[in-house]
């Protein structure tokens, strides 16, 4: 091969996929006025391979655990900001925006809260917690998932200390407290299996409509989008429209596509990723997509859904997978 033509090939072969350029998904998203985000935990940067990918590939961060109640206020009145402070500091350094996650949830909620039996005590505890989180980080957060996963799969309210003591009003109470504490932050309700028209998403749409009619400070819905490769819903655009037609935003907040560990299912995963991005690209009220982790090394999937994995855009070696290029292609179109 001629020396010059060999040189011309070099950028193709040697282009560092980790360096940000105009063709990186994060840049292509930005050009479309959408963020390209990831969740992570504050101790991941200890692996030196993590930070270069985080910093070059993403411009929105979600604390994976660091703002959950059990981490922030493990005992009544005892706050721990160590992990969250690290993530907000990193965002400040890189200019990434932060989606807060989450204030009022039934899970990762300490026993001292779950054990409360008095409604006015629970409201007071909720307010103290929300005031603390919004007071500390409100000026640095774009969004926050105020309420997480309040419904059962059939669309009924989930049993939790929140619902059991405060009833159907608990999301409105939480939204009001969050808005009062930091009025500039966009307030979201976040849930899974609502990326399709089904009983759960229809029930959420009815709740959203009621909240808006009451004047509640609700900005948007989060579609978590924890998909199973090949079984991702095909009506996510319609489900999204159901909410955005009410004037709400809908963000894709926790995207991953898990596949059986013994079957890398590259094409299926790539297609599901591309479709999820296309839905967000096509809806002007979708502000962006957050992927639930940077690389397969740190994904929650294998620990929770045994026998599955490989759910993210970067593999164990922090190399981009086919799905990364599928996302890049759909963002270019
Ligand atoms: C505070 O949280 C960090 C992790 O975010 C943890 O390492 C540390 O042990 C916690 N501190 C206390 C006093 O519990
Ligand atoms: C919660 O209630 C259970 C059952 O009454 C009790 O054993 C436990 O000590 C309580 N935990 C806290 C942190 O209040
Ligand atoms: C959805 O709700 C309807 C009644 O409103 C019920 O007949 C149907 O079985 C439910 N479907 C699922 C999947 O829960
Ligand atoms: C809805 O699901 C919950 C939780 O699985 C269950 O307890 C409840 O009975 C169901 N309600 C209806 C009407 O199917
Ligand atoms: C969408 O998915 C549903 C449920 O999996 C299926 O019944 C339907 O045929 C699919 N529609 C299209 C247009 O692929």
């Amino acid at each position: 091969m001629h020396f010059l033509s060999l040189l011309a090939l070099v950028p193709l072969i040697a282009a560092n996929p980790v360096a940000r350029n105009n063709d990186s998904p994060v840049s292509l998203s930005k050009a479309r006025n959408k963020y390209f985000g990831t969740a992570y935990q504050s101790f991941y940067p200890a692996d030196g391979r993590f930070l270069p990918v985080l910093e070059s590939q993403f411009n929105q961060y979600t604390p994976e655990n660091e703002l959950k109640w059990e981490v922030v206020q493990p005992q009544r009145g005892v706050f721990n900001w160590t992990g969250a402070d690290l993530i907000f500091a990193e965002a400040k350094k890189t200019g990434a925006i932060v989606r807060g996650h989450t204030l009022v949830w039934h899970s990762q909620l300490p026993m001292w809260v779950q054990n409360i039996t008095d409604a006015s005590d629970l409201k007071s505890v909720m307010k103290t917690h929300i005031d603390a989180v919004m007071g500390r980080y409100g000026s640095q957060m774009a969004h926050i998932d105020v309420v997480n996963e309040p419904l059962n799969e059939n669309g009924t309210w989930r049993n939790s200390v929140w619902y059991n003591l405060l009833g159907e009003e608990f999301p409105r109470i939480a939204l009001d407290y969050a808005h009062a504490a930091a009025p500039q932050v966009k307030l979201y309700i976040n849930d899974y299996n609502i990326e399709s028209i089904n009983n759960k998403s229809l029930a959420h749409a009815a709740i959203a409509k009621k909240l808006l009619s009451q004047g509640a400070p609700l900005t948007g819905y989060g579609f978590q989008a924890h998909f199973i490769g090949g079984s991702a819903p095909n009506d996510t655009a319609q489900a999204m429209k159901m909410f955005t037609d009410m004037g709400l935003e809908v963000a894709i907040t926790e995207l991953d596509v898990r596949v059986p560990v013994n079957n890398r299912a590259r094409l299926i995963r790539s297609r599901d990723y591309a479709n999820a991005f296309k839905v967000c690209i096509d809806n002007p009220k979708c502000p962006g997509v957050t992927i639930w982790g940077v690389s397969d090394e740190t994904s929650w999937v294998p620990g929770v859904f045994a026998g599955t994995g490989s759910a993210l855009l970067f593999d164990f070696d922090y190399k981009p997978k086919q799905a990364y290029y599928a996302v890049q292609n759909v963002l270019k179109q």
Side-chain angles (χ1 to χ4, degrees):
M1 193 184 282
H2 190 274
F3 180 64
L4 279 179
S5 57
L6 182 63
L7 261 190
L9 275 176
V10 165
L12 278 178
I13 297 163
N16 176 2
V18 157
R20 187 182 297 190
N21 58 45
N22 288 339
D23 271 352
S24 303
V26 63
S27 311
L28 297 165
S29 289
K30 195 171 178 197
R32 291 176 176 275
N33 210 17
K34 305 199 188 262
Y35 58 73
F36 187 80
T38 186
Y40 80 97
Q41 298 195 50
S42 56
F43 57 90
Y44 291 165
D47 178 333
R49 298 172 304 169
F50 179 86
L51 216 48
V53 179
L54 176 78
E55 292 184 347
S56 66
Q57 298 298 316
F58 299 97
N59 63 1
Q60 178 269 313
Y61 307 150
T62 300
E64 194 167 329
N65 282 322
E66 283 73 0
L67 281 184
K68 291 175 181 172
W69 198 307
E70 68 176 10
V71 176
V72 166
Q73 196 185 173
Q75 295 165 54
R76 190 166 186 155
V78 178
F79 292 88
N80 182 350
W81 307 110
T82 309
D85 277 356
L86 288 168
I87 291 174
F88 280 97
E90 173 66 18
K92 197 167 187 183
K93 185 182 111 186
T94 61
I97 65 171
V98 178
R99 289 196 86 255
H101 175 80
T102 180
L103 295 170
V104 173
W105 189 26
H106 66 280
S107 179
Q108 293 184 262
L109 182 67
M111 283 309 294
W112 73 264
V113 182
Q114 297 188 46
N115 276 358
I116 291 173
T117 54
D118 177 75
S120 63
D121 190 27
L122 186 66
K123 274 172 77 170
S124 145
V125 158
M126 184 201 271
K127 183 173 189 312
T128 301
H129 186 82
I130 290 175
D131 281 350
V133 173
M134 301 308 276
R136 189 171 183 93
Y137 300 120
S139 65
Q140 299 176 66
M141 274 190 305
H143 305 170
I144 188 160
D145 296 324
V146 175
V147 174
N148 199 34
E149 303 175 355
L151 299 186
N152 293 311
E153 295 313 281
N154 59 18
T156 61
W157 290 92
R158 185 196 289 276
N159 272 322
S160 69
V161 68
W162 309 114
Y163 178 68
N164 296 342
L165 292 190
L166 305 177
E168 298 181 9
E169 296 300 297
F170 87 80
R172 190 188 48 74
I173 296 169
L175 288 162
D176 284 343
Y177 289 160
H179 184 68
Q184 72 286 0
V185 181
K186 292 182 172 183
L187 306 182
Y188 274 64
I189 295 175
N190 189 50
D191 213 329
Y192 60 89
N193 289 350
I194 59 170
E195 308 87 1
S196 181
I197 305 277
N198 58 34
N199 285 358
K200 194 178 187 184
S201 65
L202 288 166
H204 265 299
I207 290 165
K209 196 172 165 200
K210 185 172 169 200
L211 285 168
L212 292 173
S213 77
Q214 293 172 331
L218 175 68
T219 321
Y221 257 74
F223 283 13
Q224 291 187 3
H226 292 292
F227 292 148
I228 299 169
S231 305
N234 55 20
D235 59 349
T236 303
Q238 289 89 324
M240 189 176 275
K241 190 170 180 299
M242 181 162 68
F243 292 92
T244 58
D245 279 354
M246 292 181 219
L248 292 167
E249 300 183 351
V250 175
I252 294 180
T253 53
E254 307 188 10
L255 177 63
D256 52 21
V257 182
R258 60 186 185 270
V259 295
V261 282
N262 56 359
N263 169 5
R264 314 264 303 276
R266 293 185 187 85
L267 274 170
I268 288 169
R269 184 181 47 226
S270 299
R271 194 196 58 205
D272 289 344
Y273 262 107
N275 286 342
F277 274 85
K278 175 136 179 52
V279 168
C280 185
I281 291 165
D282 287 348
N283 191 320
K285 293 196 72 73
C286 176
V289 177
T290 309
I291 296 162
W292 204 245
V294 171
S295 93
D296 291 336
E297 189 194 28
T298 56
S299 171
W300 75 311
V301 163
V304 176
F305 304 101
T308 69
S310 194
L312 299 174
L313 297 183
F314 290 85
D315 67 15
F316 273 86
D317 298 320
Y318 290 82
K319 297 256 170 17
K321 296 195 262 190
Q322 190 190 59
Y324 174 93
Y325 298 105
V327 165
Q328 183 180 48
N329 276 334
V330 78
L331 284 164
K332 271 189 196 176
Q333 279 157 24

